[in-house]
Amino acid sequence: MSLKVENLKVETPKFKILKDVFWEVERGEIVSLVGESGSGKSISALSVLKLLPENFKISGKVEVDGVEPLNLNKKELSSFRWEKVSMVFQDPSSSLNPLLTIGEQIIEPMLYHRTVKSKEEGRERALELLKLCQVPKAEERLDSYPHHLSGGLKQRCAIAMALACNPSYLLADEPTTALDVTVQKKILELLKKLSKTKNLGTLLITHDMGIVQEISDKTYVLYGGYTVESGKTEEVLANPRHPYTKGLIECSPKLNGGVKRKLKTMAGNVPEPSEEIEGCPFHPRCPKAREICRKEMPPVVEEREHKFRCFFPLLKE
């Protein structure tokens, strides 16, 4: 039982956004999708739910417990989005409707998808979800509007709404970016708890390697529309094989003490989708780049459960 993406491509009439992305989430685990802004993380998650603009062409394989959402019609897709896979967006202030109370927004999908029989039953279920998401004064919050709540509370309510129809998988697009550190930690602990208690498969989109280390079971690193490295989180962080993964790790501060080190940076920027880069998309920024890197796209190399896309992988430490 898993949500699996293979050879995912997304393109517009003018340029290609995703060229070859793969990742997989199993029930009960948290998987991180990592990379700088513009790497293709959010686009790949939105592709699963077909939430991209109509002129975006999606191809490749997306399979969720045997169901291929790219082949579903509009009615089937509506049920799939709530009952099988749901999404928590980056900014709850934008994803929550300012004209409806929190309770109304949680109850509405339950009534539409007939997971409850009445508003009264829906209100009871909504209250349970708010308590599950550790919202204080949950009953009072049911009648609150989004602007009455802090950023952390709004994000908890957004998570509760995403769980309204008891989905099997949750796509969380940088759900802690706009929150302070203490609230961020509580949201991450909540996601971890939900994954275990509800057997929920969670995809966490982030650029914070500290979050990855703290919460993830597996990690997929994206760059320039490609998955460039993947594996168990502890293995990827301890022995990165792709230079980009190592660069991300070296750019992240260590908060657990140890020897002091100078925080490194990576020269250059993530390529724009409109840029046509021959060969490996990372070669303009890569300290290990050779002539073949500038001409050919490296294949995916697999070492047990650790995969990477590089002609000159870093040696294991």
Side-chain angles (χ1 to χ4, degrees):
M1 303 287 278
S2 68
L3 191 171
K4 193 171 186 178
V5 168
E6 293 180 332
N7 194 30
L8 182 65
K9 296 179 175 64
V10 175
E11 55 187 298
T12 71
K14 292 185 177 180
F15 45 76
K16 296 179 181 179
I17 301 174
L18 301 186
K19 289 92 171 180
D20 185 5
V21 166
F22 61 85
W23 46 264
E24 183 176 6
V25 184
E26 295 181 5
R27 298 285 297 273
E29 71 175 5
I30 297 179
V31 172
S32 282
L33 217 53
V34 187
E36 295 167 279
S37 296
S39 297
K41 307 184 299 296
S42 297
I43 291 289
S44 69
L46 292 170
S47 299
V48 173
L49 296 173
K50 294 182 74 173
L51 289 175
L52 296 173
E54 291 185 0
N55 65 333
F56 281 52
K57 181 183 176 183
I58 307 171
S59 60
K61 184 177 181 180
V62 179
E63 189 172 281
V64 184
D65 296 346
V67 176
E68 296 184 13
L70 300 185
N71 297 330
L72 299 180
N73 60 40
K74 192 173 181 179
K75 184 177 180 180
E76 293 169 333
L77 193 59
S78 177
S79 297
F80 173 85
R81 284 173 177 161
W82 283 96
E83 298 170 19
K84 202 68 181 176
V85 181
S86 196
M87 190 160 186
V88 178
F89 297 92
Q90 183 172 344
D91 182 7
S93 297
S94 299
S95 58
L96 293 174
N97 189 330
L99 302 178
L100 298 177
T101 65
I102 295 300
E104 288 173 326
Q105 296 186 64
I106 299 175
I107 295 168
E108 182 180 26
M110 290 191 246
L111 290 173
Y112 182 84
H113 293 283
R114 299 178 182 178
T115 58
V116 294
K117 297 178 181 178
S118 65
K119 285 186 178 181
E120 290 72 23
E121 184 183 347
R123 187 177 176 87
E124 290 178 10
R125 171 70 177 147
L127 181 59
E128 290 175 7
L129 288 171
L130 289 181
K131 288 179 178 178
L132 178 66
C133 293
Q134 301 169 358
V135 175
K137 300 179 181 178
E139 191 162 6
E140 181 181 321
R141 302 304 180 194
L142 283 173
D143 299 313
S144 298
Y145 288 88
H147 67 271
H148 295 152
L149 310 179
S150 66
L153 281 179
K154 281 189 278 193
Q155 195 61 283
R156 289 173 189 270
C157 291
I159 293 172
M161 186 169 68
L163 298 175
C165 296
N166 198 30
S168 302
Y169 302 93
L170 183 69
L171 309 179
D173 189 358
E174 301 203 34
T176 62
T177 297
L179 307 177
D180 62 57
V181 177
T182 54
V183 177
Q184 182 183 96
K185 182 175 177 61
K186 291 178 181 178
I187 295 294
L188 293 174
E189 288 173 349
L190 171 61
L191 290 174
K192 197 168 186 178
K193 177 184 175 182
L194 291 173
S195 292
K196 302 307 177 187
T197 58
K198 295 183 70 64
N199 196 30
L200 186 69
T202 303
L203 179 76
L204 179 64
I205 297 172
T206 183
H207 58 267
D208 189 327
M209 300 303 284
I211 290 176
V212 172
Q213 183 176 15
E214 182 177 344
I215 198 173
S216 303
D217 298 300
K218 294 187 301 192
T219 296
Y220 291 80
V221 183
L222 269 61
Y223 185 83
Y226 292 91
T227 300
V228 296
E229 185 160 6
S230 68
K232 292 184 177 179
T233 297
E234 57 185 17
E235 172 67 16
V236 170
L237 296 183
N239 295 299
R241 305 304 308 277
H242 197 283
Y244 179 61
T245 308
K246 184 181 180 183
L248 289 177
I249 295 170
E250 291 179 340
C251 289
S252 302
K254 289 185 177 180
L255 304 178
N256 57 352
V259 180
K260 289 185 178 181
R261 65 185 178 94
K262 185 177 180 180
L263 203 60
K264 295 186 179 182
T265 60
M266 277 192 289
N269 298 298
V270 176
E272 295 289 335
S274 56
E275 290 183 56
E276 291 289 339
I277 298 179
E278 188 177 359
C280 174
F282 188 60
H283 84 255
R285 305 173 70 187
C286 182
K288 294 175 64 67
R290 304 289 188 273
E291 190 61 29
I292 190 173
C293 305
R294 300 180 180 92
K295 293 181 177 180
E296 297 180 25
M297 185 65 202
V300 176
V301 179
E302 185 170 0
E303 293 180 351
R304 296 181 181 177
E305 297 180 34
H306 198 164
K307 297 180 182 180
F308 48 89
R309 194 190 299 265
C310 187
F311 285 121
F312 304 98
L314 303 171
L315 296 175
K316 285 192 175 184
E317 296 180 359

